[in-house]
């Protein structure tokens, strides 16, 4: 199995951005692009490379705008969030595909990367062999309100800290009046570190509470502060704008109806209930759905199912 990068680079994609990319796996294999979660999670140490059949796929990964090794970094107080939307990320993927001389590729993604992968497939079906995603989300309004508001019924202690901080921050937020994600988007976009850094730390503790269920080793709140700021700033930015997707993917999947789509989700995913993956499956005639009953927002059984499903779809 070939998991070390064969090549890496920084690609200029416009708006002053350079996107980090890496190429691994089989050089003559079926091209596959991996989209990380977050938004703003980055490739980190590259464990994703071991999730696919590297003897049969040429695996491309990239740090999306504003995070990881891409520049500029969203932790910079002067970072322009206006140049970071789903349309920008899709354009970056097209620039990278062209740069690498790839005609068509399998598009994969996890968590928020699944939203980006599905959106790319809808916009560029002629470049998409298949879409295969895990921990499925479409970043729709109901999904965002669930993960920022309603799931607090399951984690009331953590949510009380999360909502209480926004109430005390002087941005006019009160529970039941307005959206909590909007309040945090404002706090995290503030260029003053005395405003955005503590807000990022509170958000990360909330993230650990709900995403960390069944994954006790996951801890976003112990990551470096620059990672925390970029992750939370980008996440709140995208979530407060419904993923910059109009129309929503579930309302109008468009060309996704004509593409092979794989959906892998955990039955015990508290952060993102399986209903989203199921509803996508219902509206996508060529989709295949796997729900792993014992895992949540990721896990080894889900990865194994995703690996197999990606092979089945990507290799025809």
């Amino acid at each position: 199995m070939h998991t070390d990068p064969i090549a890496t680079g920084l690609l200029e994609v416009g708006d002053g951005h350079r996107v980090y990319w890496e190429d691994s796996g089989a050089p003559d294999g079926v091209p596959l692009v991996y989209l990380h979660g977050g938004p703003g999670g980055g490739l980190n140490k590259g464990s994703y490379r071991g999730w696919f059949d590297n003897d049969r796929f040429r695996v491309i990964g990239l740090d999306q705008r504003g995070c990881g090794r891409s520049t500029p970094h969203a932790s910079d107080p002067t970072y322009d969030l206006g140049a970071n939307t789903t349309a920008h990320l899709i354009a970056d993927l097209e620039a990278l595909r062209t740069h690498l001389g790839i005609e068509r590729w399998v598009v994969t993604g996890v968590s928020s990367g699944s939203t980006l992968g599905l959106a790319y497939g809808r916009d560029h079906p002629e470049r998409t062999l298949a879409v295969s995603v895990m921990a499925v989300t479409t970043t729709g309004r109901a999904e965002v309100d669930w993960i920022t508001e309603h799931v607090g019924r399951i984690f009331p202690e953590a949510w009380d800290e999360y909502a209480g901080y926004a109430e005390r921050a002087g941005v006019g937020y009160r529970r039941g009046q307005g959206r909590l994600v909007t309040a945090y988007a404002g706090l995290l976009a503030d260029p003053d570190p005395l405003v955005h850094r503590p807000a990022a730390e509170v958000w990360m503790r909330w993230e650990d509470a709900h995403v960390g269920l069944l994954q006790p080793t996951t801890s976003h709140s112990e990551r470096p502060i620059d990672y925390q700021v970029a992750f939370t700033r980008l996440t709140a930015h995208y979530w407060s704008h419904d993923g910059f997707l109009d129309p929503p993917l579930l309302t109008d999947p468009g060309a996704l109806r004509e593409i092979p789509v794989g959906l892998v989700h955990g039955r015990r995913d508290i952060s993102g209930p399986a209903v989203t993956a199921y509803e996508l499956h219902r509206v996508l005639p060529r989709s295949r759905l796997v729900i792993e009953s014992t895992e949540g927002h990721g896990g080894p059984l889900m990865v194994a199912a995703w690996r197999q499903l990606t092979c089945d779809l990507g290799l025809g």
Side-chain angles (χ1 to χ4, degrees), residues 3-10 19-25 32-34 42-49 58-63 69 96 100 102 105:
T3 57
D4 292 333
I6 299 167
T8 65
L10 281 170
V19 170
Y20 170 83
W21 60 269
E22 54 188 36
D23 189 343
S24 63
L32 176 153
V33 63
Y34 166 75
L43 295 178
N44 297 309
K45 296 181 180 179
S47 60
Y48 76 94
R49 293 186 227 110
R58 177 188 177 188
V59 180
I60 311 298
L62 74 157
D63 286 324
R69 285 153 286 191
L96 179 59
L100 296 176
I102 294 171
W105 52 9

Side-chain angles (χ1 to χ4, degrees), residues 17-274:
H17 283 264
R18 297 197 301 166
V19 170
Y20 170 83
W21 60 269
E22 54 188 36
D23 189 343
S24 63
D28 58 350
V30 175
L32 176 153
V33 63
Y34 166 75
L35 305 174
H36 63 71
L43 295 178
N44 297 309
K45 296 181 180 179
S47 60
Y48 76 94
R49 293 186 227 110
W51 296 347
F52 306 103
D53 187 338
N54 285 265
D55 293 324
R56 304 172 81 178
F57 288 102
R58 177 188 177 188
V59 180
I60 311 298
L62 74 157
D63 286 324
Q64 294 156 29
R65 285 191 180 207
C67 69
R69 285 153 286 191
S70 294
T71 62
H73 201 262
S75 62
D76 185 332
T78 65
Y79 184 81
D80 178 15
L81 288 167
N84 199 320
T85 68
T86 297
H88 288 99
L89 300 186
I90 291 174
D92 292 350
L93 287 171
E94 276 296 273
L96 179 59
R97 182 191 60 75
T98 301
H99 175 72
L100 296 176
I102 294 171
E103 183 69 21
R104 301 174 73 203
W105 52 9
V106 178
V107 180
T108 72
V110 62
S111 194
S112 74
S114 67
T115 298
L116 178 56
L118 291 163
Y120 176 90
R122 184 172 71 174
D123 283 7
H124 294 286
E126 76 286 356
R127 300 301 182 188
T128 308
L129 293 168
V131 176
S132 182
V133 293
M134 183 178 76
V136 182
T137 178
T138 68
T139 317
R141 175 68 62 102
E143 296 165 64
V144 172
D145 286 347
W146 169 266
I147 199 171
T148 56
E149 307 264 0
H150 307 314
V151 79
R153 299 173 186 175
I154 302 172
F155 303 98
E157 310 96 321
W159 192 81
D160 186 53
E161 180 195 13
Y162 181 51
Y165 183 85
E167 287 181 316
R168 295 188 297 272
V171 292
Y173 170 76
R174 293 292 180 271
R175 299 174 207 212
Q177 302 175 26
R179 301 179 76 205
L180 181 53
V181 70
T182 302
Y184 268 97
L187 291 168
L188 291 161
D190 193 302
D192 186 349
L194 295 178
V195 176
H196 64 246
R197 287 194 171 200
E201 291 170 342
V202 173
W203 180 299
M204 282 303 207
R205 288 195 292 274
W206 167 244
E207 184 88 7
D208 282 349
H210 62 84
V211 174
L213 186 67
L214 303 179
Q215 299 184 81
T217 60
T218 299
S219 180
H220 292 286
S221 60
E222 295 178 1
R223 301 291 294 271
I225 188 61
D226 283 353
Y227 173 91
Q228 295 187 42
V229 170
F231 182 98
T232 56
R233 178 174 281 169
L234 290 171
T235 299
H237 174 59
Y238 274 82
W239 287 5
S240 64
H241 291 90
D242 302 332
F244 296 97
L245 289 166
D246 186 18
L249 289 165
L250 276 172
T251 301
D252 183 7
L256 284 172
R257 297 187 181 95
E258 310 303 322
I259 299 173
V261 175
L263 307 164
V264 178
H265 206 80
R267 178 77 68 192
R268 302 186 185 188
D269 191 338
I270 299 299
S271 304

